[in-house]
Amino acid sequence: MSDTSRLSPATIAAQAAGAIDVQTGGVVPALPMATTYLRDAAYQPLRPDNIYLRDQSDIVRVAENVLAQLEGAKETLLFPSGMAALAAAFRTVPNGGRVLVQSQIYWGTTKWIRDFCTRRDIEVREVEASDTVAFTQTCASFKPTLALIETPSNPWLRVVDIQAAADGVHAVGGLLVVDSTAATPVLQQPLRHGADIVMHSATKGINGHSDVLAGVLATNNVTGRVWEDIKIDRHDAGAVIGPFEAWLLVRGMRTLPLRVREMSSNAAKLAAFLQDHPKIETVLYPGLPSHNGYELAQTQMTGGFGSLLSCVVKGGAEAALTVISKLTVFHRATSLGGVESLVEHRHTIEPHTGIPEGLLRLSVGIESIDDLRNDLVQAFDT
Ligand SMILES: *Cc1c(COP(=O)(O)O)cnc(C)c1O
């Protein structure tokens, strides 16, 4: 595989970092499905790096190489889901360790970490990490083994200062993991801002077509003990992605920079439209100058602010549900980062998380901005 790291993300993605099918000369990498590989007469593997599929797959390596180059990472590991990637990182924390987690992030993450840490006697502290002072002070007193931030956060769209968080955790000898799902590697590269490990749910924007479940961990500290443990655990415990999913991911990523640009542009226009709408109380989008994290997002995000935005409809749950019942272009469904626009009423699904009753979360796709805006106009007006 060629080193294309000096090329721009659009070129790396479009050409899958130079991957081709060497057997046929095809411009698209092959989909090798074999679970086991041949050995010669002396019982030596024909290729020492291909013995058994569990974590030895050429197409998975292609996908990991594309992701590593987009993320600015020395090494990237794929997992069968975002949660599997996150769990792989947290399983490195020893019993009796301490983890610091940003509050009000993706609920699946919060729930899994709480349950896991209870079983393992790991102490958990949750903190509003967009408050840099609070985060740094908690690091100093609590001394976490591992800290997790999610920026921009889902569904609150809070922006966390990655470099400040990294400095706070490193000062007490811990590691910083950043869930960068909402930004994708196109808009934000946490390793450049001091993060030790970046995590993505590649199910979302990275794949972008709502048809693959996948997760990513990436790092520059490839010789660290934690990374070694993660790799050994993936190999031995087998949380691996299948070849077909990896192949679909490579195909999806070819248009990643293009999709992200269009989605960010559509989301920014809808955020501006909603901000001026009389039936909207608040719009949460880091690309709006009125957003708390706008200035910080401008310094640590590049080329846009993402496809995810939330708004609070005046009149609570009833008003919000009335609006989404009338939408015809936006699909009513969970998840985010696909080419099709989705709308979600979080309070219906997660009433216990303190989410405002009127909050709608939009994942903005690549449809025509006029169709998306008109859909919102008619849903609010009727
Ligand atoms: C979806 C999501 C996850 C979980 O990823 P899966 O691929 O669904 O397992 C984690 N973090 C964030 C921010 C997400 O949006």
Side-chain angles (χ1 to χ4, degrees), residues 81-83 106 109 150 154 179 181 199 201 203-204 213-214 336:
S81 69
M83 289 314 297
Y106 179 74
T109 297
E150 181 185 288
N154 171 12
D179 183 340
T181 299
M199 173 255 156
S201 166
T203 312
K204 314 294 169 54
L213 206 61
L336 59 110

Side-chain angles (χ1 to χ4, degrees), residues 98-289:
R98 289 174 303 279
V99 301
L100 180 60
V101 183
Q102 181 178 342
S103 55
Q104 291 189 308
I105 53 171
Y106 179 74
W107 170 244
T109 297
T110 302
K111 181 188 183 300
W112 182 83
I113 290 174
R114 286 179 188 169
D115 292 350
F116 171 76
C117 291
T118 304
R119 283 197 302 276
R120 289 270 308 270
D121 273 330
I122 294 166
E123 205 182 331
V124 192
R125 192 74 54 90
E126 292 175 32
V127 64
E128 179 43 68
S130 64
D131 180 342
T132 303
V133 173
F135 185 88
T136 308
Q137 283 174 351
T138 311
C139 278
S141 58
F142 182 59
K143 300 187 171 47
T145 322
L146 198 77
L148 172 74
I149 60 171
E150 181 185 288
T151 184
S153 69
N154 171 12
W156 288 91
L157 280 307
R158 299 215 169 106
V159 181
V160 181
D161 186 331
I162 300 169
Q163 186 66 60
D167 292 345
V169 186
H170 293 162
V172 293
L175 294 183
L176 180 70
V177 179
V178 179
D179 183 340
S180 191
T181 299
T184 82
V186 176
L187 301 180
Q188 174 174 282
Q189 291 152 358
L191 299 176
R192 298 195 201 290
H193 303 285
D196 298 286
I197 295 175
V198 180
M199 173 255 156
H200 290 278
S201 166
T203 312
K204 314 294 169 54
I206 288 177
N207 179 63
H209 295 75
S210 306
D211 55 11
V212 172
L213 206 61
V216 183
L217 294 180
T219 194
N220 277 325
N221 186 4
V222 295
T223 55
R225 210 215 72 235
V226 165
W227 191 251
E228 278 300 309
D229 284 354
I230 290 171
K231 276 163 70 170
I232 291 167
D233 192 63
R234 187 181 73 157
H235 176 83
D236 294 351
V240 296
I241 189 169
F244 185 49
E245 280 71 21
W247 188 89
L248 280 173
L249 204 52
V250 170
R251 185 167 76 160
M253 287 192 293
R254 286 173 180 265
T255 54
L256 176 60
L258 185 67
R259 284 185 279 110
V260 168
R261 191 160 69 232
E262 189 69 5
M263 290 156 87
S264 294
S265 152
N266 278 352
K269 287 173 189 155
L270 293 186
F273 160 76
L274 289 167
Q275 194 176 35
D276 292 336
H277 201 285
K279 292 192 178 164
I280 293 288
E281 213 168 273
T282 342
V283 179
L284 306 173
Y285 187 66
L288 287 175

